Amino acid sequence: MLNLESIKKIYFIGIGGIGMSAAACIANELGFAVEGSDSQEVYSPAKNVIDSAKLNYHVGYNSENVKNSRADLYVLSAGEGVENPEVKFVVENNLPRAGFAELLYAISKENLRMVVTGTHGKTTTAGLLGHVLMHVDDSSFFTGGVLQNFGKNFYSGSGHYFIFEGDEYREQFDDPTPKFHFYKPDILVLTNLEFDHPDLFATFDDLQREFEQLIANLPKDGLLVYNADDINLSHLAMNTEVTSVSYAIDNEADYKIEQVKYENDYTTFEVLNRLSKNISSHLLGQTEEYKIQLPGKLNIYNSLAVVATLRALGFSQEQIQLDLVSYKGIVRRFEIVGVKNGIILIDDYAHHPTAVKATLDTAKMRYPNARIWAIFEPHTFSRTKATLDDLAKSFDAADKILISEIYPAREKIADATVESEDVISAIKIHNSKFIIRNSIRKVINKNGALNILKAELKAGDVVMIMAVGDFNRLAYELKEIL
């Protein structure tokens, strides 16, 4: 366990990551001297976060940076290994090191730690919990996406709770332990569970065991909140003696959606409350109404998770509703970048098939008469290959599709066993409407996509850009040229 009392300076290797940048800023706000480095120019939104904090960082990795830093602790990004000269120097010289999750636990160990995790929705849900609890309790939070209301993905407060987005990815290059274990949650919120990260988990059972262990590690007086519409989570929840609270849209649960109404840009839903201890017994079983400005079914789940968690903890309906409706969401989660010449531009982070489908279904529901363009950048060869069948079924709500080259992220192009052409073929096989000429095309690079869109878009179209890598600024560049 880290002893922060002996640490005065922390050096972050890979400071440009969204999680690393936030951890560095939190450390800086707590009075630690902070320095860092990244392989290339740091991009927004992380750049905005660390620049606003005026953190000192080097562009380019060099062992001399580490030598000259004289730091007491080196925090390593999970994506950086011994091929990185700075990491190599730290390892070879046995310098004190940690991942950012271990550091954040040491910072938050006096708080009640609330961890939100799952395959989808964890960033939005953690952000919404952070948004509400920041206002009603001055609680701290840390998420993997920047809150549109706040302009940052972290907050250091003096309240009772510290809310974390729990990441199932590894802590360091040589430590496969998922980050979420390091936070040691007192309260665990599980949104859903599907197979992901095939580069780390050979099978779904391997991934599920980590979630099972996360639940098993909850303290006896802890709290588990889970989505009862997810059969995998329901099975896991059955095997714990910790107090558990369920929420659902379709199945019976402690907090269940009774009715949903869509009005203008708002969604109103009624929740049947079978549990809350802070309301009179004669009111149990009554419905409570909440309103959000986030679109789509997935965001109803995300908001319901927040309602269930906070009501179970004793917060009132009025406290929750006030900040629930003001929450604008996460940057790059169905973010409307703008409307230009009657064309709606939406930016999103979706890369798992379920998220892609939910995003496009939401676009079609919100704009039923529009022609929906889906511009998709597949993320990592391992994920694309492992989820290809499901990915093929994710684009039914689209009218036009552009598929880019696969973004390798941490993987090597030389090890590729799948190509973007395979994605296109799978989509065509699943849905014959995309066989029509120009209904689905491959684009070699971002300029190719821009050229097609500039030439073919017309008023009334909706452009949904789903990218993690090279295409993640496409919406803003398209806005400039239309």
Side-chain angles (χ1 to χ4, degrees):
M1 184 182 298
L2 292 177
N3 178 14
L4 295 183
E5 292 182 2
S6 63
I7 296 171
K8 298 187 182 305
K9 184 175 183 180
I10 306 175
Y11 187 99
F12 292 79
I13 301 176
I15 197 170
I18 192 66
M20 289 284 284
S21 59
C25 288
I26 291 172
N28 179 65
E29 288 190 358
L30 292 176
F32 296 97
V34 169
E35 189 178 346
S37 58
D38 211 288
S39 61
Q40 55 187 356
E41 181 184 354
V42 178
Y43 296 105
S44 294
K47 179 175 173 56
N48 293 339
V49 169
I50 58 179
D51 284 352
S52 65
K54 298 181 180 178
L55 299 187
N56 177 35
Y57 61 94
H58 305 277
V59 177
Y61 294 126
N62 190 316
S63 60
E64 292 297 317
N65 296 334
V66 173
K67 291 179 186 178
N68 295 332
S69 71
R70 295 182 175 85
D72 303 303
L73 176 68
Y74 295 88
V75 176
L76 277 55
S77 166
E80 300 298 332
V82 290
E83 71 283 351
N84 180 319
E86 296 189 7
V87 174
K88 183 178 180 182
F89 185 86
V90 169
V91 172
E92 289 182 345
N93 290 277
N94 199 30
L95 299 178
R97 61 181 169 110
F100 72 71
E102 186 177 359
L103 170 64
L104 290 174
Y105 168 72
I107 287 171
S108 66
K109 62 182 180 181
E110 300 303 320
N111 297 93
L112 285 168
R113 290 171 306 284
M114 184 184 299
V115 172
V116 181
T117 191
T119 312
H120 320 290
K122 55 182 175 285
T123 304
T124 297
T125 305
L128 182 47
L129 275 166
H131 174 76
V132 175
L133 286 173
M134 176 180 65
H135 287 97
V136 302
D137 182 68
D138 196 41
S139 287
S140 306
F141 67 81
F142 168 92
T143 74
V146 170
L147 277 66
Q148 293 187 40
N149 298 69
F150 195 52
K152 294 191 291 187
N153 60 326
F154 69 94
Y155 175 70
S156 299
S158 59
H160 297 84
Y161 301 94
F162 204 126
I163 301 95
F164 293 100
E165 175 183 344
D167 185 354
E168 65 269 37
Y169 202 69
R170 67 189 177 201
E171 171 74 340
Q172 294 186 57
F173 75 94
D174 58 350
D175 184 353
T177 306
K179 291 187 185 74
F180 55 38
H181 288 304
F182 286 89
Y183 298 129
K184 300 180 181 179
D186 301 293
I187 301 159
L188 179 61
V189 182
L190 299 179
T191 60
N192 39 59
L193 179 55
E194 294 184 63
F195 185 48
D196 201 3
H197 297 300
D199 55 329
L200 283 185
F201 305 104
T203 67
F204 174 70
D205 286 342
D206 293 331
L207 174 60
Q208 185 168 256
R209 273 191 289 271
E210 297 295 345
F211 279 76
E212 188 174 16
Q213 188 62 50
L214 187 62
I215 295 171
N217 288 341
L218 284 167
K220 290 182 179 179
D221 60 350
L223 174 65
L224 171 66
V225 182
Y226 70 96
N227 178 358
D229 284 341
D230 188 298
I231 190 170
N232 297 314
L233 295 183
S234 295
H235 285 162
L236 293 179
M238 290 174 60
N239 297 319
T240 181
E241 296 180 0
V242 170
T243 299
S244 62
V245 171
S246 60
Y247 65 92
I249 295 177
D250 300 320
N251 292 318
E252 293 304 310
D254 297 314
Y255 296 88
K256 185 181 186 302
I257 293 290
E258 288 290 285
Q259 185 177 1
V260 178
K261 294 182 291 185
Y262 300 100
E263 303 173 301
N264 300 320
D265 291 330
Y266 290 91
T267 301
T268 302
F269 56 89
E270 292 183 0
V271 180
L272 180 62
N273 181 347
R274 294 192 173 102
L275 189 67
S276 283
K277 298 175 182 178
N278 64 325
I279 59 178
S280 301
S281 58
H282 71 279
L283 293 177
L284 286 174
Q286 298 298 307
T287 58
E288 303 171 355
E289 186 174 276
Y290 296 92
K291 181 182 286 189
I292 57 175
Q293 56 178 305
L294 305 177
K297 186 176 182 179
L298 184 56
N299 279 317
I300 296 175
Y301 274 115
N302 297 336
S303 303
L304 182 57
V306 172
V307 169
T309 302
L310 296 182
R311 290 296 274 135
L313 290 173
F315 291 93
S316 70
Q317 178 187 0
E318 291 75 19
Q319 286 176 305
I320 298 167
Q321 175 55 51
L322 182 64
D323 294 303
L324 198 70
V325 72
S326 68
Y327 183 63
K328 297 178 181 178
I330 298 291
V331 171
R332 305 208 67 233
R333 289 349 184 247
F334 210 91
E335 180 185 4
I336 299 176
V337 170
V339 180
K340 194 76 174 287
N341 297 325
I343 301 163
I344 300 171
L345 306 175
I346 304 174
D347 191 28
D348 201 276
Y349 188 74
H351 50 282
H352 188 279
T354 302
V356 172
K357 176 174 172 52
T359 300
L360 290 171
D361 287 350
T362 298
K364 179 58 74 175
M365 178 192 72
R366 194 164 184 178
Y367 308 104
N369 299 317
R371 185 171 62 161
I372 307 294
W373 287 75
I375 292 80
F376 179 64
E377 181 181 41
H379 184 247
T380 74
F381 301 112
S382 58
R383 177 185 282 114
T384 303
K385 183 176 182 179
T387 63
L388 187 59
D389 289 345
D390 290 331
L391 194 59
K393 304 170 186 175
S394 300
F395 292 86
D396 290 0
D399 300 293
K400 297 279 190 177
I401 304 174
L402 302 181
I403 303 290
S404 78
E405 298 280 8
I406 297 171
Y407 179 66
R410 53 194 170 265
E411 298 177 345
K412 297 179 180 178
I413 295 177
D415 297 333
T417 56
V418 66
E419 298 177 331
S420 54
E421 287 86 348
D422 297 314
V423 177
I424 292 172
S425 295
I427 295 171
K428 286 181 176 179
I429 291 170
H430 167 70
N431 194 327
S432 59
K433 81 175 184 179
F434 295 117
I435 297 176
I436 301 170
R437 183 175 179 272
N438 290 341
S439 61
I440 180 168
R441 285 167 277 181
K442 176 183 174 179
V443 287
I444 301 297
N445 53 39
K446 190 163 53 175
N447 285 337
L450 285 170
N451 290 336
I452 290 173
L453 293 167
K454 184 179 180 181
E456 299 183 23
L457 286 175
K458 58 185 181 181
D461 285 356
V462 172
V463 182
M464 176 61 66
I465 297 166
M466 297 168 289
V468 177
D470 296 336
F471 277 56
N472 67 3
R473 296 293 298 171
L474 181 62
Y476 295 91
E477 294 180 26
L478 183 59
K479 184 179 177 181
E480 292 299 316
I481 67 171
L482 285 178

